[in-house]
Amino acid sequence: MSCPQCVGADQVFSGFYVARELRSYRRKGPRATTTMLVEALKAEDIEGFTLLDIGGGVGAIQHELLRAGVSRATGADAAAAYLQATREEAERQGHAERIEYRHGDFVQIAGELESADIVTLDRVICCYHDMEALVNTSAEKARRLYGVVYPRDVWWTRVGNGFLNFFFWLLRNPFRVFVHSSCEVDALVRGAGLQRLYTRMTANWQVVLYKR
Ligand SMILES: C[S@@+](CC[C@H](N)C(=O)[O-])C[C@H]1O[C@@H](n2cnc3c(N)ncnc32)[C@H](O)[C@@H]1O
């Protein structure tokens, strides 16, 4: 990977951190905002649909949707340790043969990936510097549904991100987190031909589902 942000993500999302996330998913299931997105997707008729899950972490969306009728999934992630964890969990749940795994910066490898009925980015837009390229490239891949979880652009998420970025700077890690403009994200997704179908807000996050 040539993008320093993704090299940094590969270092941040590794070892102990990923093992802890996997333990947490096995004990408690998906986090609250992931569950909101999964439930909104399940409310649509997704039987037999394909899924492209970008930056899927331990693969919570992949596992939940494959159990809910999705036929096949592709997990594309910049963090190799997360892909390994997703694979382990898919084997444990018995659907590993229905998932394809791709390691890399999605923006760079997008040309090699097929479109899917559902595209998801759960807490990924905030982990990438070039929001416009990530949103445009991923929205183009969504044949029917496009689901995102990303930070609300309010002062307290910006302050929180400032602390996190100071911490990464201290560690000499090039990874940074971002609060991108909600209006700009929404305009790009709509510009790609998708309409907003569902929105939920928590204190820090927004969960949005779009339909083509
Ligand atoms: C904060 S984690 C979220 C993981 C999971 N979706 C969740 O909500 O628990 C961000 C994930 O996005 C991935 N990521 C960020 N930018 C990416 C890119 N351009 N291409 C592929 N994966 C990316 C990271 O490697 C990481 O797995």
Side-chain angles (χ1 to χ4, degrees):
M1 284 184 293
S2 57
C3 145
Q5 178 69 11
C6 288
V7 172
D10 204 14
Q11 290 164 6
V12 169
F13 302 113
S14 62
F16 174 76
Y17 183 90
V18 169
R20 198 189 57 186
E21 289 279 300
L22 185 57
R23 272 199 310 275
S24 165
Y25 172 66
R26 286 180 178 167
R27 263 205 322 266
K28 299 189 261 180
R31 66 183 69 239
T33 46
T34 305
T35 300
M36 287 174 198
L37 180 58
V38 165
E39 291 306 317
L41 284 162
K42 280 163 52 174
E44 298 299 300
D45 185 11
I46 57 166
E47 184 70 34
F49 276 19
T50 54
L51 166 71
L52 170 59
D53 185 28
I54 300 160
V58 300
I61 294 178
Q62 297 156 43
H63 309 309
E64 302 304 309
L65 293 188
L66 283 166
R67 287 207 309 270
V70 157
S71 58
R72 297 197 63 79
T74 301
D77 206 307
Y82 259 150
L83 285 176
Q84 181 54 35
T86 316
R87 196 188 301 263
E88 265 177 43
E89 184 58 17
E91 275 162 16
R92 196 178 76 91
Q93 295 196 21
H95 49 229
E97 75 291 347
R98 291 198 283 147
I99 311 181
E100 187 191 327
Y101 306 94
R102 299 301 299 266
H103 181 222
D105 173 357
F106 171 76
V107 172
Q108 289 181 352
I109 63 171
E112 303 158 25
L113 300 174
E114 282 187 19
S115 297
D117 298 311
I118 307 169
V119 173
T120 49
L121 297 101
D122 183 3
R123 304 190 310 136
V124 179
I125 292 175
C126 48
C127 291
Y128 201 66
H129 55 296
D130 190 349
M131 178 277 288
E132 193 171 337
L134 180 61
V135 172
N136 277 335
T137 324
S138 55
E140 254 174 33
K141 294 276 178 198
R143 280 197 293 260
R144 296 160 197 255
L145 296 160
Y146 182 75
V148 286
V149 179
Y150 67 107
R152 294 175 59 188
D153 65 349
V154 287
W155 67 265
W156 58 88
T157 55
R158 290 184 190 281
V159 170
N161 273 16
F163 281 113
L164 277 173
N165 285 337
F166 177 64
F167 175 70
F168 292 128
W169 176 80
L170 282 179
L171 294 176
R172 302 286 178 262
N173 187 303
F175 182 72
R176 296 289 180 273
V177 284
F178 305 88
V179 178
H180 295 296
S181 153
S182 304
C183 291
E184 285 174 22
V185 171
D186 188 62
L188 289 170
V189 181
R190 287 174 192 268
L194 293 143
Q195 302 295 321
R196 196 182 264 250
L197 188 67
Y198 167 99
T199 308
R200 281 285 295 276
M201 299 281 179
T202 67
N204 296 325
W205 299 95
Q206 49 193 317
V207 181
V208 190
L209 179 62
Y210 295 87
K211 191 170 188 170
R212 195 171 289 289

